[in-house]
C-alpha cells in the first residue's frame, strides 16, 4: 500500500466500517459512500494484496446491499467480463443497461470475449491471444488456479487435430480428470484417440493425445523409439523442480 493510501486510511474510520461490513450490519448512506471511496483507494494501490482487499469490499458491499452498480463499474475497469454479463442479466437492473448508450456499448463490446458460450476476462483473452501467437514455440504460462490453462491446452488440441500431442501431468490422480476435460472440450472427440497408459498405444497410431505421468511417458518412449510428439504440455511444471527422484 502506498503512503498516500495509508495517510488517508489513518484519517478514516475504516476499521469500524469494515467490521460492520463483514458482520453484515447496516451502514447509513454516508458510511456506505466512505467505504466505497476507501475501496477505490485500495484498488488503485500498487500492492496486490491491498487491491484484493478493495475488490473484496466491493463484492461484499454489492451482495449485502443488493447494489451491484459499484461491482459493475469495477468489472468494466478490470476487464472482468463474466461478472459484467451476470450483472447485466439481473432483472432489476435491466433498464439501467438497456436505456443508456454507454452501457449498451460496453455490453456489445463484451461479446468479443465470448467463446463457446463462455465469457473470458480481458486477461484470459489476452493470454489466449499470446499463447496462440507463440504456437510451435517454447512457452511458460504462469497463472492462478481456474485461470483457463486447461482451456488453452484443449484449444491447442482442437487447432492441431493432425498432430501427436502429449500432456504430462504430475500425478496419477490427474490422469482421469484431464482426460475427462479433453472429452468434454474436444471437437469430434470420438474420432481422436486418447491414451493414459503405454499399453493403450499401438505402433502406427497417429494424431492421438497422450495424457501421462512422466514415468508412463518414459515407458511409452522405451516401447517405441520411433515415436515422437509435435507438441508437449507439462501441466503444473513447477512440480518438476522439487529436486526429488522423479
Amino acid at each position: 500500500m502506498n503512503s498516500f493510501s495509508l495517510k488517508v486510511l489513518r484519517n478514516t474510520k475504516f476499521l469500524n466500517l469494515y467490521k460492520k461490513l463483514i458482520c453484515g450490519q447496516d451502514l447509513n448512506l454516508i458510511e456506505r459512500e466512505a467505504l466505497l471511496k476507501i475501496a477505490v483507494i485500495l484498488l488503485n494501490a500498487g500492492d496486490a494484496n491491498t487491491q484484493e482487499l478493495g475488490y473484496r469490499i466491493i463484492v461484499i458491499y454489492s451482495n449485502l446491499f443488493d447494489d451491484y452498480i459499484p461491482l459493475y463499474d469495477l468489472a468494466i475497469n478490470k476487464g472482468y467480463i463474466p461478472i459484467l454479463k451476470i450483472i447485466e442479466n439481473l432483472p432489476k437492473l435491466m433498464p439501467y443497461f438497456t436505456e443508456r448508450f454507454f452501457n449498451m456499448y460496453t455490453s456489445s463490446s463484451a461479446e468479443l470475449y465470448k467463446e463457446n458460450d463462455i465469457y473470458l476476462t480481458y486477461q484470459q483473452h489476452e493470454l489466449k491471444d499470446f499463447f496462440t501467437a507463440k504456437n510451435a514455440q517454447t512457452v511458460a504460462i504462469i497463472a492462478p488456479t481456474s485461470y483457463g490453462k486447461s482451456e488453452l491446452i484443449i484449444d491447442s488440441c482442437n487447432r492441431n487435430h493432425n498432430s501427436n500431442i502429449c500432456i504430462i501431468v504430475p500425478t496419477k490422480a490427474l490422469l482421469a480428470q484431464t482426460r475427462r476435460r479433453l472429452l468434454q472440450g474436444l471437437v469430434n472427440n470420438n474420432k481422436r484417440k486418447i491414451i493414459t497408459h503405454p499399453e493403450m498405444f499401438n505402433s502406427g497410431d497417429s494424431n492421438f493425445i497422450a495424457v501421462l505421468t512422466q514415468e508412463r511417458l518414459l515407458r511409452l518412449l522405451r516401447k517405441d523409439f520411433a515415436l515422437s510428439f509435435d507438441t508437449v504440455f507439462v501441466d503444473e511444471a513447477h512440480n518438476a523442480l522439487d529436486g526429488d527422484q522423479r
Side-chain angles (χ1 to χ4, degrees):
M1 186 184 301
N2 56 41
S3 58
F4 173 74
S5 299
L6 286 173
K7 180 179 179 180
V8 172
L9 288 179
R10 289 194 187 101
N11 295 324
T12 67
K13 297 180 180 179
F14 170 69
L15 183 59
N16 181 54
L17 293 175
Y18 186 64
K19 285 182 178 179
K20 293 178 70 174
L21 178 71
I22 60 177
C23 291
Q25 299 176 11
D26 192 26
L27 290 91
N28 61 43
L29 183 59
I30 295 177
E31 290 175 326
R32 295 185 190 186
E33 290 180 351
L35 198 57
L36 290 176
K37 289 178 180 178
I38 292 172
V40 171
I41 293 174
L42 297 175
L43 285 165
N44 289 316
D47 181 72
N49 292 325
T50 306
Q51 293 176 6
E52 289 181 7
L53 176 58
Y55 177 69
R56 176 184 174 85
I57 291 173
I58 297 293
V59 171
I60 297 175
Y61 171 92
S62 295
N63 288 324
L64 181 61
F65 299 108
D66 196 27
D67 177 11
Y68 291 95
I69 301 304
L71 184 57
Y72 178 80
D73 293 338
L74 172 63
I76 293 176
N77 292 323
K78 291 290 188 179
Y80 297 160
I81 308 301
I83 294 176
L84 183 151
K85 299 304 292 187
I86 290 174
I87 296 175
E88 280 184 359
N89 291 321
L90 294 176
K92 63 174 292 185
L93 295 178
M94 285 290 186
Y96 182 81
F97 300 114
T98 57
E99 298 175 2
R100 302 189 181 198
F101 172 77
F102 176 75
N103 292 333
M104 293 173 63
Y105 173 79
T106 301
S107 180
S108 298
S109 300
E111 295 301 314
L112 297 174
Y113 299 89
K114 185 178 182 180
E115 296 187 9
N116 300 322
D117 297 324
I118 296 176
Y119 288 98
L120 305 178
T121 66
Y122 173 80
Q123 294 81 2
Q124 289 173 327
H125 192 270
E126 289 287 291
L127 175 59
K128 184 174 181 180
D129 285 347
F130 166 79
F131 184 76
T132 302
K134 296 294 182 179
N135 191 32
Q137 299 184 31
T138 300
V139 180
I141 301 296
I142 303 173
T145 301
S146 300
Y147 202 81
K149 298 186 292 295
S150 296
E151 284 69 22
L152 291 178
I153 295 175
I154 293 172
D155 180 67
S156 180
C157 290
N158 281 325
R159 287 186 290 105
N160 300 283
H161 51 82
N162 292 322
S163 301
N164 291 340
I165 298 176
C166 180
I167 303 171
I168 304 175
V169 296
T171 64
K172 293 180 181 178
L174 288 175
L175 291 172
Q177 177 181 317
T178 303
R179 181 178 182 275
R180 183 168 59 253
R181 287 179 176 176
L182 286 170
L183 290 173
Q184 293 173 345
L186 288 178
V187 176
N188 297 325
N189 59 70
N190 58 323
K191 299 180 180 179
R192 193 81 178 267
K193 184 174 183 178
I194 301 176
I195 69 171
T196 56
H197 200 280
E199 280 66 32
M200 297 173 64
F201 174 76
N202 297 317
S203 182
D205 282 346
S206 61
N207 307 330
F208 68 96
I209 301 174
V211 183
L212 305 166
T213 60
Q214 51 265 52
E215 290 87 358
R216 292 188 180 187
L217 174 60
L218 180 60
R219 286 164 54 190
L220 175 60
L221 295 176
R222 287 174 173 172
K223 179 180 179 181
D224 190 333
F225 291 102
L227 175 62
S228 63
F229 293 98
D230 302 286
T231 303
V232 176
F233 293 99
V234 183
D235 193 16
E236 299 189 21
H238 59 281
N239 289 324
L241 304 177
D242 291 337
D244 59 13
Q245 293 181 349
R246 299 184 77 199

